[in-house]
């Protein structure tokens, strides 16, 4: 007993595939179309299937259809999906659909959190291609180690990516854990030997292109002759086949058995990384349930993966009796995404600065734009809306007497949290405060409404630096803003995450005014190519193309100003990057 799925670009093509394979008498379980791809699922060996269902030896048809629908929604490759369904059908079904899927997942995938290795104090090295979120994952893993009563040390061995060491150092400071830079790959052994026996080292590495020998050499030197556990980090947003190719190429050079999944909170479709895990026989260790570091990592297990795969799938079949199943047509009803609340009047001087992923320079850009606008004479407010990892105050060396933490506790009014700087005013968030991420949405919205009604009218322009990702409060304030700026760079996942952010926002509010800012470009031409890639993708799949607000070229001055905890315009007013940002600020002012 099993299901077999066929797909093609049109109904006529996929129907022909069914007839060619199973004949005119093929029994069709479901017909669906998604993003221009037509799928037909057929029941193979139906007579034997019916006997097994009647005897109670198989899951009821509605469960199989719902599971199959969920696996397809998550874009699990058809061959893996069919094998998983076959495995489920070869065993006795469970009363609850989650238990039925859990049973199949236990046979199809391996699960092993890193807890026992952390308890052993074994060094853990995170690696993977560029843009997978390894640095944030390293910080989250350090937090996870603390919950296991271990003393983590964060080691930055990212000697390639600009700003990688500085970013991890900031995270270490927020988490109050030791930090050690490793600027040369052959020095890692010395650093590890200097740690206390009870410490556990968590090592961040540069993004590795497995098809470049220089990158592979750095990785090999880092792990050579060390008792290091290597853990692959992949985002759900990576293309399935590209991800498999990259993972396969890396596995030929580096022995690894564990996978940490990022990006699940941005794009819930897990099929791509599950395909990588299945193809490389990797153990699913942890996933990142939310972008904020304070939320840490969650353990993967068969029940948890089952829950993630079945959660809130549009058009999923509901529980039916056998009689209902026979009488109903196997078709799905597409449900639109919940739309943002109606917002007839935008806040005309509110600009939201957002990104699909962390580490693209969003906060630095927000502070620098605020500085440029303030320097030009515009009364500017910078609102730190990153509820999970607020750090504007750290980047510019600000020590506010009152922050959002006190406002949310009811100890102060929002106006009390305004701190003045040389060029602009700041409402600081509460750095690393997990309590803010767990606030009820209505309480967060209330603060945003006060910002709009009582604070914004006193300023020429208000910049809201939001956390990375697509949390509901971010979507809410973006829906109220005159302009939403999406920060991206040329890293593959930065582009896919930016596209995911734009896709979700445009589908929820088609009139949203989105601008794109390309950061860390090698030069103007490379920045324009990066924008063209993102813009063309939006044009092809969303029927819109966000405007380019500007390009900021890579400059070492950024790291110097962050280390000095000074605004760019104070630290290096004549640097080329300062001129780039000044032009973008002028362009933004013309559009507000």
């Amino acid at each position: 007993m099993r299901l077999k799925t066929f797909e093609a670009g049109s109904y006529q093509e996929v129907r022909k595939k069914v007839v060619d394979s199973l004949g005119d008498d093929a029994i069709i379980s479901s017909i669906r179309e998604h993003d221009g791809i037509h799928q037909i699922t057929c029941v193979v060996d139906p007579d034997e299937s019916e006997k097994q269902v009647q005897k109670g030896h198989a899951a009821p048809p509605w469960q199989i259809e719902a599971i199959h629908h969920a696996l397809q929604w998550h874009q699990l490759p058809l061959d893996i999906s069919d094998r998983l369904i076959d495995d489920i059908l070869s065993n006795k079904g469970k009363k609850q659909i989650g238990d039925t899927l859990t049973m199949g997942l236990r046979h199809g995938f391996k699960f092993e959190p890193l807890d026992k290795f952390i308890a052993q104090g074994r060094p853990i090295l995170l690696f993977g291609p560029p843009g997978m979120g390894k640095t944030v994952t390293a910080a989250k893993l350090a937090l996870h180690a603390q919950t296991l009563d271990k003393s983590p040390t964060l080691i930055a061995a990212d000697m390639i990516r600009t700003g990688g060491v500085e970013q991890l150092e900031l995270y270490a400071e927020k988490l109050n854990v030791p930090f050690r830079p490793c600027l040369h790959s052959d020095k890692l052994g010395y650093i590890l030997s200097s740690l206390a026996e009870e410490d556990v080292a968590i090592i961040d590495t540069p993004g590795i292109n497995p098809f470049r020998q220089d990158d592979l050499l750095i990785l090999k030197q880092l792990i050579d002759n060390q008792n290091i556990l290597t853990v692959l980090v992949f985002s759900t947003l990576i293309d399935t086949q590209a991800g498999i190719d990259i993972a396969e190429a890396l596995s030929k050079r580096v022995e690894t058995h564990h996978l940490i999944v990022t990006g699940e909170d941005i794009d819930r479709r897990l099929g791509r990384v599950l395909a990588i895990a299945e193809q490389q026989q990797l153990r699913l260790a942890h996933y990142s349930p939310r972008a904020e570091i304070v939320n840490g990592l969650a353990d993967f297990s068969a029940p948890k993966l089952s829950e993630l795969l079945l959660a809130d799938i549009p058009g999923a079949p509901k529980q039916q009796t056998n009689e209902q199943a026979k009488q109903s047509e196997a078709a799905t009803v597409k449900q639109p995404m919940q739309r943002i609340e109606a917002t007839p009047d935008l806040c005309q001087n509110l600009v939201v600065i957002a990104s699909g992923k962390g580490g693209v320079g969003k906060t630095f850009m927000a502070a620098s734009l605020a500085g440029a606008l303030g320097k030009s004479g515009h009364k500017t407010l910078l609102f730190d809306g990153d509820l999970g990892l607020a750090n504007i105050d750290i980047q510019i060396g600000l020590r506010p007497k009152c922050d959002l933490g006190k406002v949310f506790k009811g100890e102060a009014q929002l106006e009390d949290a305004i701190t003045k700087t040389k060029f602009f005013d700041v409402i600081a968030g509460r750095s690393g405060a997990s309590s803010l991420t767990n606030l009820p949405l209505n309480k967060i919205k209330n603060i945003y409404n006060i910002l709009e009604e009582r604070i914004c009218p006193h300023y020429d322009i208000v910049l809201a630096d939001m956390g990375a990702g697509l949390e509901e409060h971010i979507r809410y304030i973006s829906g109220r803003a005159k302009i939403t700026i999406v920060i991206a760079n040329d890293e593959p996942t930065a582009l896919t995450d930016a596209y995911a952010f734009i896709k979700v926002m445009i589908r929820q509010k088609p009139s949203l005014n989105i601008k794109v800012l390309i950061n860390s470009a090698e030069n103007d031409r490379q920045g324009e190519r990066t924008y063209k890639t993102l813009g063309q993708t939006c044009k092809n799949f969303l029927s819109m193309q966000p405007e380019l607000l500007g390009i900021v070229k890579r400059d070492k001055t950024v790291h110097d100003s962050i280390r000095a905890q000074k605004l760019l315009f104070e630290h290096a007013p004549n640097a080329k990057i300062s001129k780039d940002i000044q032009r973008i600020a002028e362009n933004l002012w013309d559009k507000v």
Side-chain angles (χ1 to χ4, degrees), residues 302-419:
K304 174 52 69 174
L305 180 55
S306 174
E307 178 186 326
L308 293 173
L309 289 171
L310 294 173
D312 302 323
I313 303 300
K318 304 300 181 183
Q319 182 170 357
Q320 299 175 329
T321 64
N322 286 339
E323 188 61 30
Q324 288 173 327
K326 291 178 182 179
Q327 294 176 357
S328 65
E329 294 183 359
T332 60
V333 179
K334 289 189 175 181
Q335 299 176 351
M337 293 183 64
Q338 183 179 0
R339 300 182 72 83
I340 292 175
E341 300 169 20
T343 54
D345 299 313
L346 299 176
C347 184
Q348 294 300 317
N349 64 342
L350 176 62
V351 176
V352 164
I353 300 177
S355 67
K357 71 181 290 291
V360 295
K362 175 176 54 60
T363 298
F364 178 83
M365 199 57 59
S368 298
L369 283 173
L373 290 162
K375 185 181 177 184
S376 298
H378 308 301
K379 189 176 182 182
T380 304
L381 173 70
L382 180 56
F383 177 84
D384 193 349
D386 189 342
L387 300 183
L389 194 65
N391 62 2
I392 282 177
D393 53 335
I394 293 174
Q395 286 211 13
I396 64 177
L398 187 68
R399 290 175 175 79
K401 295 181 180 179
C402 179
D403 58 26
L404 283 179
K406 291 186 177 181
V407 176
F408 279 117
K409 286 181 179 179
E411 299 174 357
Q413 298 296 313
L414 188 59
E415 291 87 344
D416 301 329
I418 297 174
T419 302

Side-chain angles (χ1 to χ4, degrees), residues 37 93 99 132 177 222 315 342 413 485 502 528 562:
I37 300 297
D99 295 336
M132 294 292 120
V177 302
L222 285 171
Q413 298 296 313
I485 301 173
I502 295 169
E528 289 167 1
I562 291 176

